[in-house]
Amino acid sequence: MISFHEINHHWNYFLAIEKDLENLSRYIEFSENNLQTYSIEIAHILLSSSSEVDVMLKQFCKLIEPSSNPNNINDYKTIILSSGSDIVNQKISINRYGLEYKPFENWITDGENPVWWKSHNNVKHNRNKYYYQANLQNVINSVGALLLVNIYFYEKQFSVNDGKESIGLLETTSKLKPESSFIKIPSEYYYKYLVVRSSK
C-alpha cells in the first residue's frame, strides 16, 4: 500500500532549481573573478528562480495581509516592510565557496528593488540588450531569495496550520525535507544532530 503525506510543492521546486545551480558550479567556479560570467544556462536558472520568487512573494504577502491584493514587486515590498519581517536582513550563503549575500538588502539600504530582480526583468523583456546581466552574481542572489521566500512563507503557513503566532525559522527548516544542501541561511536556523556510536 502506498501512502502520501502533504507535499510542499514550492519547496520541491526550489530544490530542483538549487540542484541546477549546484550543477552549474561544476562548470563555472563560484568565485569573485567569475561573478560577471553569463551564459544561456545562467539565464535559464535566473528566469526560473525569479519567476518563482514572484509567485511566492505574492502568496507570502497574502498570508501577511489576507485582504491585500499585491500585483508587483513594489506591492510586495510595501507589505513586507510594513510587517516588520526580517527577511530583508537575512543572509544566504554557499559555504563551500565562502559566498554570502543579503538578496533583499536594497529594500532597506536605498529603497530600491534588488539588482538581481531588475536584471531578471531586463533579461526577460530585453534580452538582446541586457543578456550580460544573466550573470553568476545575479543568479546566486535570485536563488538565495527563493530560498528565503520559501522558508519565510512556510514558517507563516506552518504557524497558521498549527494555530500558533510563529513556530520560528528553526522549526520551519526542520519541517522542510529534504533539507537544502547547496545554499543555506545561517547555521543557527538548523538543528544540529549528534551521531553517537555504540562501543561493543
Side-chain angles (χ1 to χ4, degrees):
M1 177 178 163
I2 300 174
S3 63
F4 293 91
H5 61 280
E6 185 176 350
I7 298 172
N8 299 316
H9 295 286
H10 291 293
W11 182 247
N12 287 342
Y13 192 58
F14 161 74
L15 292 174
I17 290 175
E18 181 195 38
K19 181 57 69 176
D20 289 342
L21 186 68
E22 184 175 12
N23 288 340
L24 182 68
S25 71
R26 295 182 60 196
Y27 305 98
I28 301 172
E29 183 70 16
F30 281 31
S31 71
E32 187 174 353
N33 291 334
N34 286 333
L35 290 177
Q36 299 309 308
T37 300
Y38 58 97
S39 73
I40 290 173
E41 182 62 13
I42 294 175
H44 165 74
I45 301 171
L46 177 67
L47 293 174
S48 297
S49 57
S50 298
S51 176
E52 182 70 355
V53 167
D54 187 28
V55 169
M56 292 213 67
L57 280 175
K58 178 174 282 195
Q59 293 186 31
F60 182 45
C61 287
K62 292 290 285 183
L63 282 174
I64 293 171
E65 284 188 22
S67 63
S68 66
N69 188 28
N71 291 311
N72 56 49
I73 190 76
N74 294 313
D75 292 345
Y76 309 150
K77 177 174 67 173
T78 299
I79 292 169
I80 290 170
L81 289 178
S82 65
S83 75
S85 172
D86 68 344
I87 192 173
V88 294
N89 295 307
Q90 193 62 260
K91 297 176 184 176
I92 58 94
S93 62
I94 302 178
N95 290 329
R96 75 175 73 167
Y97 295 107
L99 296 173
E100 186 176 272
Y101 293 101
K102 292 181 179 180
F104 293 103
E105 185 175 34
N106 290 99
W107 279 357
I108 53 173
T109 57
D110 55 23
E112 296 290 325
N113 287 321
V115 172
W116 58 267
W117 178 263
K118 293 177 182 177
S119 296
H120 149 257
N121 278 329
N122 288 340
V123 174
K124 181 179 178 181
H125 297 294
N126 199 351
R127 197 164 306 160
N128 287 343
K129 184 176 180 181
Y130 294 108
Y131 181 49
Y132 69 92
Q133 291 184 4
N135 61 47
L136 184 60
Q137 181 165 316
N138 283 329
V139 81
I140 291 171
N141 272 290
S142 178
V143 177
L146 183 56
L147 170 63
L148 289 178
V149 179
N150 261 275
I151 290 173
Y152 278 80
F153 167 80
Y154 280 113
E155 191 275 335
K156 195 79 172 169
Q157 185 66 68
F158 293 155
S159 298
V160 170
N161 293 347
D162 292 352
K164 298 178 180 177
E165 185 175 337
S166 174
I167 65 168
L169 298 186
L170 182 64
E171 190 63 29
T172 302
T173 59
S174 74
K175 289 175 176 280
L176 292 172
K177 299 297 180 190
E179 197 174 280
S180 59
S181 59
F182 186 68
I183 189 166
K184 290 188 173 276
I185 60 175
S187 60
E188 61 262 31
Y189 298 114
Y190 298 93
Y191 282 112
K192 296 173 178 64
Y193 298 96
L194 179 64
V195 176
V196 178
R197 295 180 179 174
S198 61
S199 56
K200 292 183 180 180

